[in-house]
PDB file of all heavy atoms in Angstrom:
ATOM      1  N   GLN M   1      30.205  36.088-264.917  1.00  0.00           N
ATOM      2  CA  GLN M   1      31.008  37.046-264.072  1.00  0.00           C
ATOM      3  C   GLN M   1      30.513  37.200-262.705  1.00  0.00           C
ATOM      4  O   GLN M   1      29.402  36.695-262.334  1.00  0.00           O
ATOM      5  CB  GLN M   1      30.848  38.424-264.901  1.00  0.00           C
ATOM      6  CG  GLN M   1      31.363  38.382-266.268  1.00  0.00           C
ATOM      7  CD  GLN M   1      32.908  37.995-266.277  1.00  0.00           C
ATOM      8  OE1 GLN M   1      33.713  38.581-265.467  1.00  0.00           O
ATOM      9  NE2 GLN M   1      33.238  37.149-267.213  1.00  0.00           N
ATOM     10  N   TYR M   2      31.273  37.769-261.866  1.00  0.00           N
ATOM     11  CA  TYR M   2      30.995  37.948-260.445  1.00  0.00           C
ATOM     12  C   TYR M   2      29.872  38.958-260.360  1.00  0.00           C
ATOM     13  O   TYR M   2      29.463  39.798-261.385  1.00  0.00           O
ATOM     14  CB  TYR M   2      32.201  38.414-259.697  1.00  0.00           C
ATOM     15  CG  TYR M   2      33.308  37.385-259.503  1.00  0.00           C
ATOM     16  CD1 TYR M   2      34.556  37.698-259.753  1.00  0.00           C
ATOM     17  CD2 TYR M   2      32.894  36.108-259.041  1.00  0.00           C
ATOM     18  CE1 TYR M   2      35.536  36.766-259.515  1.00  0.00           C
ATOM     19  CE2 TYR M   2      33.942  35.203-258.754  1.00  0.00           C
ATOM     20  CZ  TYR M   2      35.227  35.580-258.991  1.00  0.00           C
ATOM     21  OH  TYR M   2      36.135  34.687-258.909  1.00  0.00           O
ATOM     22  N   ARG M   3      29.194  38.958-259.192  1.00  0.00           N
ATOM     23  CA  ARG M   3      28.096  40.054-258.983  1.00  0.00           C
ATOM     24  C   ARG M   3      28.622  41.429-259.203  1.00  0.00           C
ATOM     25  O   ARG M   3      29.683  41.753-258.717  1.00  0.00           O
ATOM     26  CB  ARG M   3      27.512  39.853-257.633  1.00  0.00           C
ATOM     27  CG  ARG M   3      27.069  38.435-257.188  1.00  0.00           C
ATOM     28  CD  ARG M   3      26.677  38.341-255.840  1.00  0.00           C
ATOM     29  NE  ARG M   3      27.741  38.211-254.991  1.00  0.00           N
ATOM     30  CZ  ARG M   3      28.558  37.234-254.773  1.00  0.00           C
ATOM     31  NH1 ARG M   3      28.377  36.105-255.386  1.00  0.00           N
ATOM     32  NH2 ARG M   3      29.595  37.454-253.883  1.00  0.00           N
ATOM     33  N   HIS M   4      27.807  42.322-259.734  1.00  0.00           N
ATOM     34  CA  HIS M   4      28.130  43.729-259.999  1.00  0.00           C
ATOM     35  C   HIS M   4      27.319  44.777-259.556  1.00  0.00           C
ATOM     36  O   HIS M   4      27.626  45.884-259.485  1.00  0.00           O
ATOM     37  CB  HIS M   4      28.483  43.886-261.530  1.00  0.00           C
ATOM     38  CG  HIS M   4      27.199  43.808-262.318  1.00  0.00           C
ATOM     39  ND1 HIS M   4      26.712  42.632-262.889  1.00  0.00           N
ATOM     40  CD2 HIS M   4      26.281  44.684-262.683  1.00  0.00           C
ATOM     41  CE1 HIS M   4      25.651  42.778-263.578  1.00  0.00           C
ATOM     42  NE2 HIS M   4      25.305  44.029-263.453  1.00  0.00           N
ATOM     43  N   LEU M   5      26.071  44.396-258.960  1.00  0.00           N
ATOM     44  CA  LEU M   5      25.174  45.232-258.486  1.00  0.00           C
ATOM     45  C   LEU M   5      25.499  45.670-257.082  1.00  0.00           C
ATOM     46  O   LEU M   5      26.224  44.826-256.361  1.00  0.00           O
ATOM     47  CB  LEU M   5      23.701  44.777-258.532  1.00  0.00           C
ATOM     48  CG  LEU M   5      23.058  44.464-259.825  1.00  0.00           C
ATOM     49  CD1 LEU M   5      21.519  43.917-259.659  1.00  0.00           C
ATOM     50  CD2 LEU M   5      23.044  45.873-260.525  1.00  0.00           C
ATOM     51  N   PRO M   6      25.077  46.736-256.617  1.00  0.00           N
ATOM     52  CA  PRO M   6      25.328  47.042-255.159  1.00  0.00           C
ATOM     53  C   PRO M   6      24.726  45.965-254.199  1.00  0.00           C
ATOM     54  O   PRO M   6      23.657  45.480-254.500  1.00  0.00           O
ATOM     55  CB  PRO M   6      24.451  48.367-254.888  1.00  0.00           C
ATOM     56  CG  PRO M   6      24.499  48.950-256.264  1.00  0.00           C
ATOM     57  CD  PRO M   6      24.279  47.795-257.281  1.00  0.00           C
ATOM     58  N   GLN M   7      25.533  45.613-253.198  1.00  0.00           N
ATOM     59  CA  GLN M   7      25.046  44.522-252.248  1.00  0.00           C
ATOM     60  C   GLN M   7      24.360  45.185-251.068  1.00  0.00           C
ATOM     61  O   GLN M   7      24.964  46.017-250.370  1.00  0.00           O
ATOM     62  CB  GLN M   7      26.270  43.757-251.786  1.00  0.00           C
ATOM     63  CG  GLN M   7      27.009  43.062-253.044  1.00  0.00           C
ATOM     64  CD  GLN M   7      26.004  42.032-253.832  1.00  0.00           C
ATOM     65  OE1 GLN M   7      25.673  40.898-253.303  1.00  0.00           O
ATOM     66  NE2 GLN M   7      25.658  42.381-255.023  1.00  0.00           N
ATOM     67  N   LEU M   8      23.182  44.779-250.875  1.00  0.00           N
ATOM     68  CA  LEU M   8      22.309  45.339-249.692  1.00  0.00           C
ATOM     69  C   LEU M   8      22.094  44.337-248.629  1.00  0.00           C
ATOM     70  O   LEU M   8      22.052  43.037-248.744  1.00  0.00           O
ATOM     71  CB  LEU M   8      20.951  45.789-250.378  1.00  0.00           C
ATOM     72  CG  LEU M   8      21.006  46.652-251.588  1.00  0.00           C
ATOM     73  CD1 LEU M   8      19.436  46.909-252.106  1.00  0.00           C
ATOM     74  CD2 LEU M   8      21.704  47.896-251.249  1.00  0.00           C
ATOM     75  N   PRO M   9      21.878  44.839-247.386  1.00  0.00           N
ATOM     76  CA  PRO M   9      21.631  43.985-246.206  1.00  0.00           C
ATOM     77  C   PRO M   9      20.060  43.606-246.249  1.00  0.00           C
ATOM     78  O   PRO M   9      19.256  44.207-246.671  1.00  0.00           O
ATOM     79  CB  PRO M   9      21.927  44.902-245.000  1.00  0.00           C
ATOM     80  CG  PRO M   9      21.674  46.189-245.469  1.00  0.00           C
ATOM     81  CD  PRO M   9      22.048  46.201-246.934  1.00  0.00           C
ATOM     82  N   CYS M  10      19.883  42.476-245.543  1.00  0.00           N
ATOM     83  CA  CYS M  10      18.472  42.150-245.136  1.00  0.00           C
ATOM     84  C   CYS M  10      18.306  42.480-243.592  1.00  0.00           C
ATOM     85  O   CYS M  10      19.419  42.839-242.992  1.00  0.00           O
ATOM     86  CB  CYS M  10      18.325  40.640-245.374  1.00  0.00           C
ATOM     87  SG  CYS M  10      18.294  40.068-247.145  1.00  0.00           S
ATOM     88  N   TRP M  11      17.282  42.364-243.059  1.00  0.00           N
ATOM     89  CA  TRP M  11      17.071  42.759-241.764  1.00  0.00           C
ATOM     90  C   TRP M  11      16.129  41.887-240.878  1.00  0.00           C
ATOM     91  O   TRP M  11      15.347  41.216-241.525  1.00  0.00           O
ATOM     92  CB  TRP M  11      16.445  44.118-241.545  1.00  0.00           C
ATOM     93  CG  TRP M  11      17.135  45.208-242.274  1.00  0.00           C
ATOM     94  CD1 TRP M  11      17.119  45.530-243.713  1.00  0.00           C
ATOM     95  CD2 TRP M  11      18.141  46.179-241.713  1.00  0.00           C
ATOM     96  NE1 TRP M  11      18.079  46.578-243.959  1.00  0.00           N
ATOM     97  CE2 TRP M  11      18.646  46.972-242.847  1.00  0.00           C
ATOM     98  CE3 TRP M  11      18.608  46.418-240.376  1.00  0.00           C
ATOM     99  CZ2 TRP M  11      19.519  48.006-242.622  1.00  0.00           C
ATOM    100  CZ3 TRP M  11      19.549  47.380-240.211  1.00  0.00           C
ATOM    101  CH2 TRP M  11      19.957  48.178-241.328  1.00  0.00           C
ATOM    102  N   THR M  12      16.377  41.571-239.725  1.00  0.00           N
ATOM    103  CA  THR M  12      15.598  40.557-238.976  1.00  0.00           C
ATOM    104  C   THR M  12      14.989  41.160-237.779  1.00  0.00           C
ATOM    105  O   THR M  12      15.378  42.194-237.187  1.00  0.00           O
ATOM    106  CB  THR M  12      16.533  39.493-238.466  1.00  0.00           C
ATOM    107  OG1 THR M  12      17.595  40.036-237.438  1.00  0.00           O
ATOM    108  CG2 THR M  12      17.351  38.777-239.588  1.00  0.00           C
ATOM    109  N   CYS M  13      13.751  40.677-237.454  1.00  0.00           N
ATOM    110  CA  CYS M  13      12.968  40.949-236.265  1.00  0.00           C
ATOM    111  C   CYS M  13      12.159  39.703-235.852  1.00  0.00           C
ATOM    112  O   CYS M  13      12.326  38.712-236.431  1.00  0.00           O
ATOM    113  CB  CYS M  13      12.203  42.236-236.464  1.00  0.00           C
ATOM    114  SG  CYS M  13      11.011  42.121-237.754  1.00  0.00           S
ATOM    115  N   ASN M  14      11.299  39.870-234.936  1.00  0.00           N
ATOM    116  CA  ASN M  14      10.590  38.778-234.497  1.00  0.00           C
ATOM    117  C   ASN M  14       8.996  39.252-234.286  1.00  0.00           C
ATOM    118  O   ASN M  14       8.781  40.333-233.943  1.00  0.00           O
ATOM    119  CB  ASN M  14      11.030  38.223-233.223  1.00  0.00           C
ATOM    120  CG  ASN M  14      12.392  37.659-233.371  1.00  0.00           C
ATOM    121  OD1 ASN M  14      12.544  36.344-233.855  1.00  0.00           O
ATOM    122  ND2 ASN M  14      13.469  38.179-233.059  1.00  0.00           N
ATOM    123  N   THR M  15       8.102  38.283-234.313  1.00  0.00           N
ATOM    124  CA  THR M  15       6.765  38.595-233.762  1.00  0.00           C
ATOM    125  C   THR M  15       6.773  38.534-232.287  1.00  0.00           C
ATOM    126  O   THR M  15       7.858  38.200-231.868  1.00  0.00           O
ATOM    127  CB  THR M  15       5.848  37.467-234.407  1.00  0.00           C
ATOM    128  OG1 THR M  15       6.223  36.169-233.956  1.00  0.00           O
ATOM    129  CG2 THR M  15       5.749  37.490-235.984  1.00  0.00           C
ATOM    130  N   ASN M  16       5.676  38.787-231.784  1.00  0.00           N
ATOM    131  CA  ASN M  16       5.529  38.809-230.262  1.00  0.00           C
ATOM    132  C   ASN M  16       4.172  38.366-229.954  1.00  0.00           C
ATOM    133  O   ASN M  16       3.224  38.200-230.720  1.00  0.00           O
ATOM    134  CB  ASN M  16       5.962  40.065-229.759  1.00  0.00           C
ATOM    135  CG  ASN M  16       5.154  41.235-230.378  1.00  0.00           C
ATOM    136  OD1 ASN M  16       3.914  41.325-230.378  1.00  0.00           O
ATOM    137  ND2 ASN M  16       5.892  42.365-230.583  1.00  0.00           N
ATOM    138  N   GLU M  17       3.840  38.380-228.666  1.00  0.00           N
ATOM    139  CA  GLU M  17       2.534  37.922-228.164  1.00  0.00           C
ATOM    140  C   GLU M  17       1.464  38.860-228.639  1.00  0.00           C
ATOM    141  O   GLU M  17       0.351  38.481-228.973  1.00  0.00           O
ATOM    142  CB  GLU M  17       2.442  37.879-226.543  1.00  0.00           C
ATOM    143  CG  GLU M  17       3.021  36.463-226.134  1.00  0.00           C
ATOM    144  CD  GLU M  17       2.239  35.319-226.676  1.00  0.00           C
ATOM    145  OE1 GLU M  17       1.042  35.380-227.047  1.00  0.00           O
ATOM    146  OE2 GLU M  17       2.773  34.130-226.656  1.00  0.00           O
ATOM    147  N   GLU M  18       1.659  40.226-228.751  1.00  0.00           N
ATOM    148  CA  GLU M  18       0.682  41.151-229.083  1.00  0.00           C
ATOM    149  C   GLU M  18       0.355  40.826-230.533  1.00  0.00           C
ATOM    150  O   GLU M  18      -0.867  40.911-231.034  1.00  0.00           O
ATOM    151  CB  GLU M  18       1.223  42.555-229.091  1.00  0.00           C
ATOM    152  CG  GLU M  18       1.348  43.204-227.544  1.00  0.00           C
ATOM    153  CD  GLU M  18       1.556  44.608-227.595  1.00  0.00           C
ATOM    154  OE1 GLU M  18       2.831  44.876-227.555  1.00  0.00           O
ATOM    155  OE2 GLU M  18       0.721  45.475-227.540  1.00  0.00           O
ATOM    156  N   VAL M  19       1.420  40.647-231.444  1.00  0.00           N
ATOM    157  CA  VAL M  19       1.189  40.274-232.809  1.00  0.00           C
ATOM    158  C   VAL M  19       0.315  38.962-232.869  1.00  0.00           C
ATOM    159  O   VAL M  19      -0.764  38.973-233.598  1.00  0.00           O
ATOM    160  CB  VAL M  19       2.487  39.956-233.541  1.00  0.00           C
ATOM    161  CG1 VAL M  19       2.269  39.437-234.983  1.00  0.00           C
ATOM    162  CG2 VAL M  19       3.180  41.229-233.581  1.00  0.00           C
ATOM    163  N   HIS M  20       0.515  38.035-232.111  1.00  0.00           N
ATOM    164  CA  HIS M  20      -0.145  36.709-232.117  1.00  0.00           C
ATOM    165  C   HIS M  20      -1.640  36.910-231.661  1.00  0.00           C
ATOM    166  O   HIS M  20      -2.549  36.282-232.242  1.00  0.00           O
ATOM    167  CB  HIS M  20       0.502  35.715-231.191  1.00  0.00           C
ATOM    168  CG  HIS M  20       1.904  35.366-231.619  1.00  0.00           C
ATOM    169  ND1 HIS M  20       2.756  34.421-231.029  1.00  0.00           N
ATOM    170  CD2 HIS M  20       2.622  35.778-232.765  1.00  0.00           C
ATOM    171  CE1 HIS M  20       3.920  34.337-231.699  1.00  0.00           C
ATOM    172  NE2 HIS M  20       3.834  35.000-232.753  1.00  0.00           N
ATOM    173  N   ASP M  21      -1.746  37.753-230.698  1.00  0.00           N
ATOM    174  CA  ASP M  21      -3.187  38.109-230.251  1.00  0.00           C
ATOM    175  C   ASP M  21      -4.131  38.671-231.329  1.00  0.00           C
ATOM    176  O   ASP M  21      -5.290  38.237-231.533  1.00  0.00           O
ATOM    177  CB  ASP M  21      -3.168  39.032-229.040  1.00  0.00           C
ATOM    178  CG  ASP M  21      -2.662  38.318-227.739  1.00  0.00           C
ATOM    179  OD1 ASP M  21      -2.649  37.091-227.695  1.00  0.00           O
ATOM    180  OD2 ASP M  21      -2.322  38.985-226.774  1.00  0.00           O
ATOM    181  N   VAL M  22      -3.513  39.546-232.102  1.00  0.00           N
ATOM    182  CA  VAL M  22      -4.239  40.199-233.198  1.00  0.00           C
ATOM    183  C   VAL M  22      -4.661  39.210-234.359  1.00  0.00           C
ATOM    184  O   VAL M  22      -5.745  39.007-234.722  1.00  0.00           O
ATOM    185  CB  VAL M  22      -3.402  41.325-233.819  1.00  0.00           C
ATOM    186  CG1 VAL M  22      -4.073  41.880-235.089  1.00  0.00           C
ATOM    187  CG2 VAL M  22      -3.235  42.475-232.833  1.00  0.00           C
ATOM    188  N   LEU M  23      -3.494  38.358-234.433  1.00  0.00           N
ATOM    189  CA  LEU M  23      -3.675  37.256-235.640  1.00  0.00           C
ATOM    190  C   LEU M  23      -4.828  36.246-235.102  1.00  0.00           C
ATOM    191  O   LEU M  23      -5.723  35.949-235.896  1.00  0.00           O
ATOM    192  CB  LEU M  23      -2.497  36.575-235.869  1.00  0.00           C
ATOM    193  CG  LEU M  23      -1.338  37.429-236.539  1.00  0.00           C
ATOM    194  CD1 LEU M  23      -0.016  36.733-236.691  1.00  0.00           C
ATOM    195  CD2 LEU M  23      -1.844  37.772-238.124  1.00  0.00           C
ATOM    196  N   ARG M  24      -4.817  35.856-233.890  1.00  0.00           N
ATOM    197  CA  ARG M  24      -5.692  34.954-233.349  1.00  0.00           C
ATOM    198  C   ARG M  24      -7.126  35.464-233.499  1.00  0.00           C
ATOM    199  O   ARG M  24      -8.104  34.703-233.708  1.00  0.00           O
ATOM    200  CB  ARG M  24      -5.562  34.533-231.923  1.00  0.00           C
ATOM    201  CG  ARG M  24      -4.151  33.780-231.785  1.00  0.00           C
ATOM    202  CD  ARG M  24      -4.006  33.260-230.249  1.00  0.00           C
ATOM    203  NE  ARG M  24      -2.794  32.503-230.059  1.00  0.00           N
ATOM    204  CZ  ARG M  24      -1.693  33.065-229.462  1.00  0.00           C
ATOM    205  NH1 ARG M  24      -1.817  34.406-229.050  1.00  0.00           N
ATOM    206  NH2 ARG M  24      -0.511  32.510-229.299  1.00  0.00           N
ATOM    207  N   SER M  25      -7.318  36.788-233.288  1.00  0.00           N
ATOM    208  CA  SER M  25      -8.605  37.382-233.262  1.00  0.00           C
ATOM    209  C   SER M  25      -9.255  37.363-234.662  1.00  0.00           C
ATOM    210  O   SER M  25     -10.380  37.462-234.806  1.00  0.00           O
ATOM    211  CB  SER M  25      -8.548  38.888-232.892  1.00  0.00           C
ATOM    212  OG  SER M  25      -7.846  39.631-233.912  1.00  0.00           O
ATOM    213  N   GLY M  26      -8.433  37.147-235.699  1.00  0.00           N
ATOM    214  CA  GLY M  26      -8.974  37.068-237.052  1.00  0.00           C
ATOM    215  C   GLY M  26      -8.990  35.669-237.666  1.00  0.00           C
ATOM    216  O   GLY M  26      -9.404  35.463-238.802  1.00  0.00           O
ATOM    217  N   LEU M  27      -8.701  34.610-236.830  1.00  0.00           N
ATOM    218  CA  LEU M  27      -8.636  33.213-237.282  1.00  0.00           C
ATOM    219  C   LEU M  27      -9.963  32.777-237.922  1.00  0.00           C
ATOM    220  O   LEU M  27     -10.097  32.009-238.854  1.00  0.00           O
ATOM    221  CB  LEU M  27      -8.141  32.105-236.218  1.00  0.00           C
ATOM    222  CG  LEU M  27      -6.676  32.167-235.911  1.00  0.00           C
ATOM    223  CD1 LEU M  27      -6.413  31.283-234.784  1.00  0.00           C
ATOM    224  CD2 LEU M  27      -5.940  31.906-237.271  1.00  0.00           C
ATOM    225  N   ALA M  28     -11.136  33.219-237.261  1.00  0.00           N
ATOM    226  CA  ALA M  28     -12.426  32.877-237.766  1.00  0.00           C
ATOM    227  C   ALA M  28     -12.674  33.353-239.225  1.00  0.00           C
ATOM    228  O   ALA M  28     -13.488  32.765-239.999  1.00  0.00           O
ATOM    229  CB  ALA M  28     -13.449  33.401-236.911  1.00  0.00           C
ATOM    230  N   GLU M  29     -11.936  34.319-239.469  1.00  0.00           N
ATOM    231  CA  GLU M  29     -12.023  34.921-240.939  1.00  0.00           C
ATOM    232  C   GLU M  29     -11.042  34.356-241.913  1.00  0.00           C
ATOM    233  O   GLU M  29     -10.927  34.799-243.043  1.00  0.00           O
ATOM    234  CB  GLU M  29     -12.184  36.414-240.907  1.00  0.00           C
ATOM    235  CG  GLU M  29     -13.245  37.035-240.283  1.00  0.00           C
ATOM    236  CD  GLU M  29     -13.259  38.613-240.376  1.00  0.00           C
ATOM    237  OE1 GLU M  29     -13.647  39.130-241.300  1.00  0.00           O
ATOM    238  OE2 GLU M  29     -12.779  39.156-239.337  1.00  0.00           O
ATOM    239  N   SER M  30     -10.079  33.564-241.387  1.00  0.00           N
ATOM    240  CA  SER M  30      -9.054  33.032-242.190  1.00  0.00           C
ATOM    241  C   SER M  30      -9.497  31.956-243.185  1.00  0.00           C
ATOM    242  O   SER M  30     -10.126  30.993-242.670  1.00  0.00           O
ATOM    243  CB  SER M  30      -7.840  32.487-241.363  1.00  0.00           C
ATOM    244  OG  SER M  30      -6.981  31.727-242.163  1.00  0.00           O
ATOM    245  N   PRO M  31      -9.335  31.996-244.457  1.00  0.00           N
ATOM    246  CA  PRO M  31      -9.798  31.010-245.349  1.00  0.00           C
ATOM    247  C   PRO M  31      -9.087  29.703-245.115  1.00  0.00           C
ATOM    248  O   PRO M  31      -9.692  28.681-245.688  1.00  0.00           O
ATOM    249  CB  PRO M  31      -9.393  31.525-246.773  1.00  0.00           C
ATOM    250  CG  PRO M  31      -8.354  32.659-246.529  1.00  0.00           C
ATOM    251  CD  PRO M  31      -8.606  33.246-245.147  1.00  0.00           C
ATOM    252  N   LEU M  32      -7.976  29.661-244.502  1.00  0.00           N
ATOM    253  CA  LEU M  32      -7.351  28.390-244.166  1.00  0.00           C
ATOM    254  C   LEU M  32      -8.093  27.546-243.166  1.00  0.00           C
ATOM    255  O   LEU M  32      -7.919  26.418-243.074  1.00  0.00           O
ATOM    256  CB  LEU M  32      -5.878  28.599-243.729  1.00  0.00           C
ATOM    257  CG  LEU M  32      -4.901  29.206-244.809  1.00  0.00           C
ATOM    258  CD1 LEU M  32      -3.513  29.487-244.137  1.00  0.00           C
ATOM    259  CD2 LEU M  32      -4.853  28.166-245.957  1.00  0.00           C
ATOM    260  N   PHE M  33      -8.765  28.369-242.245  1.00  0.00           N
ATOM    261  CA  PHE M  33      -9.498  27.723-241.148  1.00  0.00           C
ATOM    262  C   PHE M  33     -10.988  27.837-241.136  1.00  0.00           C
ATOM    263  O   PHE M  33     -11.626  27.181-240.219  1.00  0.00           O
ATOM    264  CB  PHE M  33      -8.891  28.279-239.732  1.00  0.00           C
ATOM    265  CG  PHE M  33      -7.391  28.017-239.681  1.00  0.00           C
ATOM    266  CD1 PHE M  33      -6.530  29.110-239.869  1.00  0.00           C
ATOM    267  CD2 PHE M  33      -6.912  26.741-239.426  1.00  0.00           C
ATOM    268  CE1 PHE M  33      -5.150  28.879-239.725  1.00  0.00           C
ATOM    269  CE2 PHE M  33      -5.558  26.604-239.204  1.00  0.00           C
ATOM    270  CZ  PHE M  33      -4.675  27.607-239.450  1.00  0.00           C
ATOM    271  N   ASN M  34     -11.521  28.551-242.105  1.00  0.00           N
ATOM    272  CA  ASN M  34     -13.072  28.722-242.140  1.00  0.00           C
ATOM    273  C   ASN M  34     -13.659  27.670-243.171  1.00  0.00           C
ATOM    274  O   ASN M  34     -14.859  27.814-243.368  1.00  0.00           O
ATOM    275  CB  ASN M  34     -13.411  29.978-242.186  1.00  0.00           C
ATOM    276  CG  ASN M  34     -13.159  30.658-243.613  1.00  0.00           C
ATOM    277  OD1 ASN M  34     -12.675  29.981-244.376  1.00  0.00           O
ATOM    278  ND2 ASN M  34     -13.288  32.010-243.706  1.00  0.00           N
ATOM    279  N   GLY M  35     -12.843  26.821-243.774  1.00  0.00           N
ATOM    280  CA  GLY M  35     -13.346  25.963-244.849  1.00  0.00           C
ATOM    281  C   GLY M  35     -13.243  26.530-246.220  1.00  0.00           C
ATOM    282  O   GLY M  35     -13.681  25.751-247.125  1.00  0.00           O
ATOM    283  N   GLN M  36     -12.922  27.650-246.328  1.00  0.00           N
ATOM    284  CA  GLN M  36     -12.898  28.461-247.583  1.00  0.00           C
ATOM    285  C   GLN M  36     -11.868  27.759-248.611  1.00  0.00           C
ATOM    286  O   GLN M  36     -12.152  27.638-249.788  1.00  0.00           O
ATOM    287  CB  GLN M  36     -12.667  29.909-247.475  1.00  0.00           C
ATOM    288  CG  GLN M  36     -12.836  30.678-248.706  1.00  0.00           C
ATOM    289  CD  GLN M  36     -12.797  32.156-248.469  1.00  0.00           C
ATOM    290  OE1 GLN M  36     -13.501  32.745-247.617  1.00  0.00           O
ATOM    291  NE2 GLN M  36     -11.977  32.909-249.142  1.00  0.00           N
ATOM    292  N   ILE M  37     -10.673  27.491-248.200  1.00  0.00           N
ATOM    293  CA  ILE M  37      -9.558  26.805-248.848  1.00  0.00           C
ATOM    294  C   ILE M  37      -9.586  25.271-248.441  1.00  0.00           C
ATOM    295  O   ILE M  37      -9.336  24.897-247.209  1.00  0.00           O
ATOM    296  CB  ILE M  37      -8.248  27.421-248.521  1.00  0.00           C
ATOM    297  CG1 ILE M  37      -8.310  28.845-249.129  1.00  0.00           C
ATOM    298  CG2 ILE M  37      -7.111  26.557-249.105  1.00  0.00           C
ATOM    299  CD1 ILE M  37      -6.897  29.644-248.883  1.00  0.00           C
ATOM    300  N   GLN M  38      -9.779  24.366-249.359  1.00  0.00           N
ATOM    301  CA  GLN M  38      -9.699  22.929-249.118  1.00  0.00           C
ATOM    302  C   GLN M  38      -8.404  22.407-249.592  1.00  0.00           C
ATOM    303  O   GLN M  38      -8.189  21.248-249.149  1.00  0.00           O
ATOM    304  CB  GLN M  38     -10.808  22.317-249.840  1.00  0.00           C
ATOM    305  CG  GLN M  38     -12.343  22.847-249.444  1.00  0.00           C
ATOM    306  CD  GLN M  38     -12.679  22.238-248.087  1.00  0.00           C
ATOM    307  OE1 GLN M  38     -12.266  21.227-247.623  1.00  0.00           O
ATOM    308  NE2 GLN M  38     -13.391  23.117-247.360  1.00  0.00           N
ATOM    309  N   SER M  39      -7.734  22.972-250.388  1.00  0.00           N
ATOM    310  CA  SER M  39      -6.504  22.398-250.934  1.00  0.00           C
ATOM    311  C   SER M  39      -5.272  22.468-249.980  1.00  0.00           C
ATOM    312  O   SER M  39      -5.255  23.165-249.016  1.00  0.00           O
ATOM    313  CB  SER M  39      -6.113  23.136-252.274  1.00  0.00           C
ATOM    314  OG  SER M  39      -6.118  24.454-252.101  1.00  0.00           O
ATOM    315  N   THR M  40      -4.205  21.661-250.354  1.00  0.00           N
ATOM    316  CA  THR M  40      -3.101  21.488-249.326  1.00  0.00           C
ATOM    317  C   THR M  40      -2.043  22.574-249.700  1.00  0.00           C
ATOM    318  O   THR M  40      -1.713  22.789-250.917  1.00  0.00           O
ATOM    319  CB  THR M  40      -2.418  20.175-249.514  1.00  0.00           C
ATOM    320  OG1 THR M  40      -3.478  19.307-249.287  1.00  0.00           O
ATOM    321  CG2 THR M  40      -1.393  19.923-248.485  1.00  0.00           C
ATOM    322  N   GLY M  41      -1.356  23.197-248.670  1.00  0.00           N
ATOM    323  CA  GLY M  41      -0.358  24.201-248.903  1.00  0.00           C
ATOM    324  C   GLY M  41       0.947  23.582-248.564  1.00  0.00           C
ATOM    325  O   GLY M  41       1.101  22.440-248.140  1.00  0.00           O
TER     326      GLY M  41
END
Protein backbone atom coordinates (compact mmCIF):
# COMPACT_ATOMS: atom_id res chain seq x y z
CA GLN A 1 0.00 0.00 0.00
CA TYR A 2 0.95 3.65 -0.35
CA ARG A 3 2.58 5.57 2.48
CA HIS A 4 0.14 6.37 5.28
CA LEU A 5 2.25 8.10 7.98
CA PRO A 6 2.45 11.92 8.16
CA GLN A 7 5.10 13.17 5.73
CA LEU A 8 7.73 15.40 7.35
CA PRO A 9 10.32 17.77 5.85
CA CYS A 10 14.08 17.52 6.19
CA TRP A 11 16.17 20.67 6.63
CA THR A 12 19.47 21.82 5.14
CA CYS A 13 22.27 24.06 6.36
CA ASN A 14 26.06 24.28 5.97
CA THR A 15 29.20 24.24 8.03
CA ASN A 16 31.40 27.36 7.97
CA GLU A 17 34.94 28.43 8.73
CA GLU A 18 34.20 28.84 12.45
CA VAL A 19 32.96 25.25 12.56
CA HIS A 20 36.07 24.10 10.72
CA ASP A 21 38.38 26.00 13.09
CA VAL A 22 36.85 24.28 16.11
CA LEU A 23 37.14 20.87 14.47
CA ARG A 24 40.77 21.50 13.44
CA SER A 25 41.60 22.37 17.04
CA GLY A 26 40.61 18.84 18.03
CA LEU A 27 42.30 16.86 15.24
CA ALA A 28 45.14 15.82 17.55
CA GLU A 29 42.58 14.02 19.70
CA SER A 30 40.74 12.44 16.76
CA PRO A 31 41.13 8.64 16.78
CA LEU A 32 41.18 8.77 12.97
CA PHE A 33 44.37 10.84 12.94
CA ASN A 34 46.21 10.02 16.17
CA GLY A 35 46.77 6.35 15.26
CA GLN A 36 44.05 5.01 17.56
CA ILE A 37 41.98 3.68 14.63
CA GLN A 38 43.95 1.61 12.12
CA SER A 39 41.10 0.11 10.09
CA THR A 40 39.61 1.51 6.87
CA GLY A 41 36.38 3.51 6.86
